[in-house]
Amino acid sequence: MKNIVALFDFSKKINYKNELLAGLTVAMTMIPESLSFAILAGLSPLTGLYAAFMMGLVTAIFGGRPGMVSGGAGATIVVLIALIKTHGVEYLFATVALAGVFQMLVGIFKLGKFVRLIPQPVMYGFLNGLAVIIFMAQIEQFKITDANGVVGWLQGTALYIMLGLTALTIAIVYFFPKITKVIPASLVAIVIIFGIVLGFGIPTKTVADIAQISGSLPAFHIPELPFSLQTLQIIFPYAMIMAGVGLIESLLTLSMVDEITNSKGNTNKESVAQGLANITNGFFGGMGGCAMVAQTLVNLDAGSRARLSGIIASITILIIILVGAPFIEKIPMAALVGVMMVVAISTFQWVSIRIVNKMPKSDIFVGITVALITIILHNLALAVLVGVIISALVFAWDNAKRIRARKHTDENGIKHYEIFGPLFFGSVTAFTDKFDPINDPDEVVVDFKESRIVDMSAIDALDKLSKKYSELNKKLHLKHLSEDSMKLLKNAEAVIEVNIHEDPTYKVMPEK
């Protein structure tokens, strides 16, 4: 309630004219993208518009970043295309609601910062693969189903008209911003193509050929599917990856707005708002979504710095749903195809090609692998998971190679091993190979001043090393253990036998 009251708090410096105009402009840019992504996923266009309305309204009121715009965005819906095709729209709604629950839990348990740990090569590969999928899906719109239900490519005049209108749309979207950025280029392109088709009576494929739009309010609807463990097994992985993709895109957008406005947003609050919005979508017939980078930039460029513009944009979309359906159904598909092709081109991370010769080979491999899995299997969940696993293994391998040991024997005949680099599952073999229990003296000290014990594999390696020396009636001491290493050893003292050198505790991390 406090957030709502703050929207109209005249003690705050809010430019209401800018908020109103920004909201109207954002609404006009959200409509074509929401329609296009809904059609791309094989959904009713109204499902996309509902998502734009509900995502925008809920996140504008409860989100952690004023000025940020959310809606029925492409990255999240593309994740669910395979689910929609195999199980239907009811499973989509259930998945969106479950993804919302996961997102809320991330915010409630303050885990928002960890969502940003996705490696950059994985993001490059994911976005590049997504761009190719979006572009190839537009090619499918050049097909038509005849009266017998046979799907085939457009032929002759119909094909040339579709190609010409699509090319003109792309040209307008590309060149119009060079004239002015006051009006969104995608909106201008759709209006011009709509006017040309209507004015000249050009016969071409329209939104009405894909699906009819009924102009009604979103209605509460519990997804009609079996409430069983089998259903959960189907939707759980999709919901997890949708929640992750949605939060990644949303929190990266939040960081971008933080930099532009020189202010600080709340990642956990935004995670809760994204989750609440997706739960609302799941029970009110929306396709779900996340933050939208392009629309957020349009909002900021129009001068918005408060929540009001997002609310105005959402209400504008609702009004269009209620009274503008007959007009939306007449929009030529060529216009939406052209807009989405431009979205695909802008989604592709061209910088990843420009810097490819400057990137480590492992990063190049990760990026290409993620992109190929995304394109070939259309499984963004698997692509991101594989990318993260490969990146983690590469990181582990690189750190495993960095463990070193400097050896010397003091005046008392005690041999010292000074360890450099972390001791964990990847480096235990190299660590163990550095010791020579048979030829070492009766007393050996392992100095961890420049190292730390990370995991159970490291503890097990120390235990085995200690037993080797013990079998030879030799003593092995550990020295300069960090606090977290000491804690690990204490927790595992039932399964390990080591002697910790009676030396003042060396603290790697300062006390808080």
Side-chain angles (χ1 to χ4, degrees):
M1 190 67 189
K2 185 179 178 182
N3 283 333
I4 299 172
V5 174
L7 295 169
F8 303 99
D9 184 357
F10 288 92
S11 66
K12 294 180 182 285
K13 292 183 179 179
I14 296 177
N15 189 319
Y16 288 91
K17 184 194 75 172
N18 282 357
E19 295 297 314
L20 175 63
L21 293 177
L24 293 173
T25 305
V26 166
M28 294 303 103
T29 63
M30 288 176 75
I31 288 171
E33 196 163 333
S34 299
L35 284 173
S36 300
F37 274 116
I39 293 168
L40 166 65
L43 299 169
S44 163
L46 193 59
T47 311
L49 294 178
Y50 281 161
F53 161 61
M54 290 183 284
M55 289 296 303
L57 184 63
V58 174
T59 56
I61 295 174
F62 300 106
R65 175 68 270 179
M68 198 164 89
V69 177
S70 295
T76 51
I77 193 60
V78 171
V79 169
L80 305 177
I81 288 178
L83 175 69
I84 296 166
K85 288 182 178 178
T86 55
H87 291 88
V89 71
E90 295 299 325
Y91 279 80
L92 162 72
F93 296 143
T95 302
V96 169
L98 183 58
V101 172
F102 291 149
Q103 290 177 328
M104 287 193 72
L105 290 174
V106 168
I108 290 169
F109 290 103
K110 302 187 184 303
L111 303 174
K113 58 187 177 182
F114 295 109
V115 178
R116 302 184 187 182
L117 296 179
I118 301 294
Q120 191 61 44
V122 175
M123 288 302 299
Y124 279 150
F126 169 77
L127 290 170
N128 291 346
L130 179 65
V132 173
I133 287 177
I134 294 171
F135 191 89
M136 294 307 295
Q138 304 316 305
I139 305 299
E140 292 295 309
Q141 297 302 329
F142 287 86
K143 293 180 178 179
I144 193 167
T145 305
D146 62 20
N148 298 320
V150 179
V151 179
W153 293 97
L154 291 171
Q155 300 288 334
T157 305
L159 175 61
Y160 300 139
I161 290 173
M162 187 83 169
L163 285 170
L165 292 174
T166 301
L168 181 58
T169 302
I170 294 172
I172 295 170
V173 174
Y174 182 77
F175 289 107
F176 189 79
K178 300 181 186 299
I179 301 172
T180 178
K181 294 183 179 179
V182 175
I183 306 172
S186 58
L187 177 63
V188 172
I190 290 172
V191 170
I192 290 175
I193 300 302
F194 181 85
I196 291 173
V197 169
L198 198 65
F200 291 95
I202 300 173
T204 187
K205 194 176 180 182
T206 65
V207 172
D209 295 322
I210 306 298
Q212 300 297 316
I213 300 176
S214 60
S216 60
L217 286 167
F220 180 77
H221 167 74
I222 297 176
E224 297 176 359
L225 72 174
F227 287 87
S228 64
L229 183 60
Q230 184 180 3
T231 299
L232 182 62
Q233 289 174 338
I234 293 170
I235 68 174
F236 186 87
Y238 287 101
M240 283 289 288
I241 194 63
M242 178 191 165
V245 169
L247 283 184
I248 290 166
E249 191 160 339
S250 298
L251 298 185
L252 289 177
T253 304
L254 185 145
S255 297
M256 176 192 74
V257 179
D258 284 353
E259 292 179 11
I260 293 173
T261 61
N262 196 26
S263 58
K264 186 69 175 173
N266 188 323
T267 57
N268 295 313
K269 189 177 180 182
E270 184 61 36
S271 298
V272 171
Q274 290 288 330
L276 183 60
N278 276 313
I279 291 172
T280 306
N281 268 271
F283 288 104
F284 283 89
M287 68 180 185
C290 62
M292 305 176 79
V293 178
Q295 283 69 22
T296 298
L297 290 172
V298 167
N299 194 38
L300 296 176
D301 289 344
S304 171
R305 292 296 182 271
R307 301 176 183 274
L308 189 57
S309 63
I311 295 175
I312 291 171
S314 300
I315 293 173
T316 302
I317 290 171
L318 179 61
I319 293 171
I320 290 171
I321 290 171
L322 297 176
V323 301
F327 299 100
I328 292 173
E329 289 177 359
K330 294 178 181 177
I331 294 175
M333 280 303 301
L336 297 182
V337 168
V339 168
M340 290 307 297
M341 283 185 171
V342 174
V343 169
I345 292 169
S346 61
T347 300
F348 194 91
Q349 301 296 294
W350 300 100
V351 66
S352 64
I353 295 177
R354 291 199 299 271
I355 65 172
V356 69
N357 60 334
K358 300 176 183 177
M359 294 169 65
K361 291 180 180 178
S362 58
D363 285 353
I364 297 170
F365 176 74
V366 168
I368 292 174
T369 301
V370 172
L372 287 177
I373 293 173
T374 304
I375 294 166
I376 296 170
L377 301 181
H378 284 217
N379 190 330
L380 277 73
L382 179 63
V384 172
L385 181 62
V386 169
V388 171
I389 290 174
I390 295 175
S391 297
L393 290 175
V394 169
F395 175 79
W397 176 253
D398 287 342
N399 277 274
K401 294 188 295 184
R402 291 191 179 127
I403 195 161
R404 309 188 315 278
R406 188 163 60 196
K407 310 166 191 177
H408 71 275
T409 303
D410 63 18
E411 63 276 7
N412 298 318
I414 300 172
K415 188 169 183 178
H416 294 258
Y417 287 85
E418 295 178 33
I419 307 301
F420 296 83
L423 180 58
F424 68 112
F425 70 91
S427 60
V428 291
T429 301
F431 169 79
T432 305
D433 289 344
K434 297 184 185 301
F435 292 86
D436 187 7
I438 295 175
N439 297 314
D440 277 349
D442 291 340
E443 196 165 352
V444 174
V445 174
V446 184
D447 192 335
F448 280 90
K449 186 176 183 180
E450 301 295 337
S451 179
R452 59 189 295 267
I453 298 165
V454 176
D455 59 11
M456 194 64 201
S457 296
I459 293 172
D460 182 62
L462 287 172
D463 184 42
K464 289 177 180 176
L465 186 66
S466 176
K467 287 175 179 176
K468 284 182 181 179
Y469 280 95
S470 179
E471 289 169 0
L472 297 168
N473 295 318
K474 297 178 180 181
K475 291 184 179 180
L476 180 72
H477 301 280
L478 307 184
K479 183 179 179 183
H480 284 150
L481 290 167
S482 62
E483 273 189 19
D484 52 352
S485 298
M486 290 278 285
K487 185 177 179 181
L488 271 175
L489 288 174
K490 184 172 178 60
N491 290 340
E493 59 187 7
V495 294
I496 181 173
E497 295 179 10
V498 293
N499 297 312
I500 298 175
H501 199 284
E502 292 185 2
D503 188 83
T505 303
Y506 180 80
K507 298 178 181 178
V508 175
M509 298 295 290
E511 289 186 353
K512 294 182 180 178

